[in-house]
Amino acid sequence: KGSGASFPYSVYQKWIKAYNADTGIQIDYIKKGSSKGIKDAQARAVDFAGTDKPLSPNALAADKLYQFPGVVGAITMGYNVPNMEEIKLSRNVIVDIASGNIAFWDDARIAKDNAGVKLPHEKLTFVHRADGSGTTYNFTYYLSKVSTTWAKTFGAKKSLNWPGDHHIGGKTNSGVAALIKQTPFSVGYIDYADAKNNEIAMATVENKEGKYIVPTLASFQAAAAKASLDPANDFYAVIADPDGAESYPMVAATFILVPAEKADMNKNVTKFFDWSYKNGQEIAKSLGFVPLPESLTSKISAYWEAKGIK
């Protein structure tokens, strides 16, 4: 049994189904959000938990947990503006939207990067997660990298009281998708898989190098290649806003937590993830996730062996 992050839910579900077809082993993973996943892991309520906010080595030691990455995905700016097929959002505009500093879609800051696009004079609604969320943590971590003001005022958090009066919240990424779909002139942060599955338009966003990048598997892979995930510190890393002209800026690794004292069950969990790393690459790619490269999965395997959970 597993629970937690909704960000990787679609890929975990397909991996679980394929693994069951191959082995007959049943796995149940419930999407609750990263905060509840961490709590379930701490309470030993599940055999493994998913979180998009990695725990530090000190936190893991205190809770007697081990941690390893599952897959890399992307956060997109999904939007619902009738008759607008494409829009570019700069780094600063994304911060201004989240901060409540942009009231209407035809604001000069949005118009500046969208020459030739007729922007409507309609009130902009920002959609965010209402529950404790690793997606929120990674999105606000990205905002903190872009804006020192955001970093000092809000920082990176799994949940926060969003500034302004222009926002609405949904539970899990599916809830955000539903709100964007039913709210004309809305925009919100949402994982690529949920945006794609719900046929939500996604903005082209500016990266660290000043290039405007379309959310695609290739741009996610370019970003993931810059990630530094080290077993020496339990793979603790946040990989948002990477270098590289081709890199999509809002990427996130998602992690698995297991209790240190349950070696036999942990071996069942690591067997599943080992199988998924080796056999689930095409499934992950089809959903817009980046499979972990062999150079990293070999490190994960050595980490499992060192901890006695393989």
Side-chain angles (χ1 to χ4, degrees), residues 77 81 84 87-114 119-127 143 150 163-167 185-187:
M77 295 300 290
V81 180
M84 195 159 73
I87 190 164
K88 293 177 180 175
L89 296 177
S90 73
R91 295 157 68 76
N92 291 330
V93 161
I94 292 171
V95 175
D96 284 335
I97 288 171
S99 302
N101 294 331
I102 290 182
F104 293 93
W105 275 100
D106 59 353
D107 186 284
R109 287 164 287 186
I110 299 177
K112 180 184 171 190
D113 296 308
N114 292 277
L119 296 166
H121 185 67
E122 295 284 351
K123 191 171 180 184
L124 180 151
T125 301
F126 175 60
V127 185
L143 297 179
W150 181 278
D165 59 0
H166 69 316
H167 55 83
F185 306 106
S186 63
V187 59

Side-chain angles (χ1 to χ4, degrees), residues 71-82:
V71 71
V72 172
I75 300 166
T76 70
M77 295 300 290
Y79 67 92
N80 175 0
V81 180

